[in-house]
């Protein structure tokens, strides 16, 4: 076995969260104690914490449900199966978005999904990084191809938010909501984010929709997050959550939403988005690249642009781009 295969094999045993003696591990994995120690160190480097026990064994800090391609595939709907061209699961990537953008350039067909247990260069909106420790979240991207002009994609990132919110509701996260354009929040704390990137290849427009959800963030890694955040572990408890189920729910909803968007654009989905809108009726400060405006949010229009009512009663529209939204103190 290669070093990586040994690490994966060790992880598969430790994932149950129970204590395993060194002797048991050496026997089960057919590795010598030195190779075991080396694999344990490698898992620590991945951000996992196999704890050495006084009784000469190891356990993870908590159980970990590893992403399993077969389990995810078993949860996909018939519609998803017909539209999905690939489903790939990796232990480590730089970024699932970067990966699929490169594959789009190689003319991969649309309908490709890629998930990673960990990203070492996960990217967020506004050129931020996205904290992506091993097994601590759901990090994934969908590649889709569209006919037509870039303007036809207006509102697609909001539509993606609907897919994410639907899948979280189905998992039991009843209070999930969206903050324009596409922050996924729970009680005003960030639970997930969406990063859409597009380009042209193979004679079509391609879009890579990347989604990051906090599942069980180690406190140390979370120190890098500069805003209030929450993870599914806090909302649902450890027993309430299966990353494989969440992945399947999310892929099903994404495929359904992207299929609908192809037909009718965002206009068909605007009403559903309003049902998840956490900002409607609230006074906010909207940060633009070189300025800021304040006003009361009046929802979004049929293209997904934000409607903001200023003090003089006029309603202005703001469309995508590098716009941030902060609640007025
Ligand atoms: C945000 O800043 O709110 C958007 C975060 C998007 C993160 C996801 S994780 C999977 C995909 N790969 C990336 O590098 N980014 C997106």
């Amino acid at each position: 076995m290669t070093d990586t295969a040994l690490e994966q094999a060790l992880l598969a045993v430790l994932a149950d969260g129970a204590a395993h003696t060194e002797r048991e591990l050496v026997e089960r994995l057919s590795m010598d104690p030195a190779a075991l120690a080396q694999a344990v160190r490698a898992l620590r480097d991945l951000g996992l914490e196999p704890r050495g026990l006084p009784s000469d064994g190891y356990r993870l800090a908590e159980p970990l449900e590893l992403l399993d391609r077969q389990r995810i595939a078993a949860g996909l709907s018939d519609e998803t199966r017909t539209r999905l061209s690939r489903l790939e699961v990796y232990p480590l990537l730089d970024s699932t978005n970067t990966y699929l953008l490169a594959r789009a350039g190689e003319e991969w067909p649309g309908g490709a999904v890629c998930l990673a247990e960990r990203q070492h260069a996960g990217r967020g909106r506004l050129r931020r990084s996205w904290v992506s420790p091993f097994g601590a979240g759901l990090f994934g991207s969908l590649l889709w191809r569209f006919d037509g002009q870039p303007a036809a994609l207006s509102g697609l990132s909001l539509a993606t938010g609907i897919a994410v919110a639907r899948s979280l509701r189905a998992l039991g996260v009843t209070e999930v909501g969206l903050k324009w354009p596409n922050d996924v929040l729970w009680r005003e704390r960030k639970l997930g984010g969406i990063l859409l990137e597009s380009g042209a290849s193979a004679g079509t427009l391609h879009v890579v929709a990347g989604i990051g959800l906090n599942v069980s963030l180690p406190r140390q890694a979370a120190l890098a997050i500069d805003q209030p955040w929450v993870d599914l572990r806090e909302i649902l408890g450890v027993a309430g959550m299966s990353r494989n189920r969440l992945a399947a729910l999310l892929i099903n909803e994404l495929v359904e939403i992207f299929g609908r968007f192809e037909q009718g654009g965002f206009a068909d989905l605007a009403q559903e988005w309003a049902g998840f809108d956490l900002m409607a009726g609230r006074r906010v400060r909207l940060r633009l690249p070189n300025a800021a405006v304040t006003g009361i949010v009046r929802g979004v229009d049929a293209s997904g642009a934000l409607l903001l009512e200023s003090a003089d009663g006029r309603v202005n529209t703001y469309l995508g781009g590098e716009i941030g939204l902060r609640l007025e103190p």
Side-chain angles (χ1 to χ4, degrees), residues 95-97 119 122-125 130 140-141 190 193-195 210-212:
S95 144
T96 55
N97 266 36
Q119 303 181 113
R123 294 184 288 112
R125 290 182 63 243
W130 188 257
S141 303
K190 187 143 167 164
I194 294 164
L195 176 67
I211 291 126

Side-chain angles (χ1 to χ4, degrees), residues 76 255-256 294:
L76 298 180
V255 167
E256 203 275 330
T294 55

Side-chain angles (χ1 to χ4, degrees), residues 241-261:
M241 128 209 120
S242 156
R243 288 193 308 145
N244 290 304
R245 175 149 182 264
L246 174 59
L249 286 168
L250 178 61
I251 296 167
N252 286 334
E253 295 297 355
L254 284 170
V255 167
E256 203 275 330
I257 286 277
F258 274 60
R260 289 247 317 260
F261 191 93

Side-chain angles (χ1 to χ4, degrees), residues 77-256:
S77 67
D78 290 345
E79 183 196 351
T80 303
R81 285 168 212 263
T82 59
R83 304 286 320 244
L84 212 65
S85 59
R86 287 176 191 248
L87 173 59
E88 300 194 340
V89 179
Y90 291 96
L92 171 66
L93 284 178
D94 49 358
S95 144
T96 55
N97 266 36
T98 306
Y99 176 81
L100 280 187
L101 283 168
R103 303 294 86 74
E106 293 167 7
E107 311 211 341
W108 269 23
V113 168
C114 155
L115 301 164
E117 290 283 15
R118 172 183 176 233
Q119 303 181 113
H120 65 75
R123 294 184 288 112
R125 290 182 63 243
L126 308 174
R127 294 183 200 88
R128 295 196 180 105
S129 59
W130 188 257
V131 174
S132 315
F134 193 99
L138 191 70
F139 315 119
S141 303
L142 166 70
L143 166 67
W144 205 264
R145 292 192 180 274
F146 290 90
D147 297 325
Q149 300 301 310
L153 300 181
S154 176
L156 184 59
S157 74
L158 279 77
T160 307
I162 298 175
V164 176
R166 278 188 193 170
S167 53
L168 288 167
R169 277 225 175 131
L171 202 72
V173 185
T174 48
E175 292 179 64
V176 63
L178 298 169
K179 184 179 84 161
W180 186 91
N182 52 20
D183 273 349
V184 182
L185 301 185
W186 181 83
R187 297 189 188 165
E188 312 225 331
R189 290 152 72 191
K190 187 143 167 164
L191 174 59
I194 294 164
L195 176 67
L196 250 71
E197 297 178 288
S198 57
S201 57
T204 64
L205 283 176
H206 65 248
V207 173
V208 171
I211 291 126
L213 293 169
N214 301 331
V215 175
S216 182
L217 279 186
R219 306 299 134 194
Q220 188 62 30
L223 293 175
I225 304 178
D226 63 355
Q227 59 182 311
W229 61 272
V230 67
D231 59 16
L232 288 173
R233 180 175 180 266
E234 180 180 334
I235 301 170
L236 298 173
V238 179
M241 128 209 120
S242 156
R243 288 193 308 145
N244 290 304
R245 175 149 182 264
L246 174 59
L249 286 168
L250 178 61
I251 296 167
N252 286 334
E253 295 297 355
L254 284 170
V255 167
E256 203 275 330

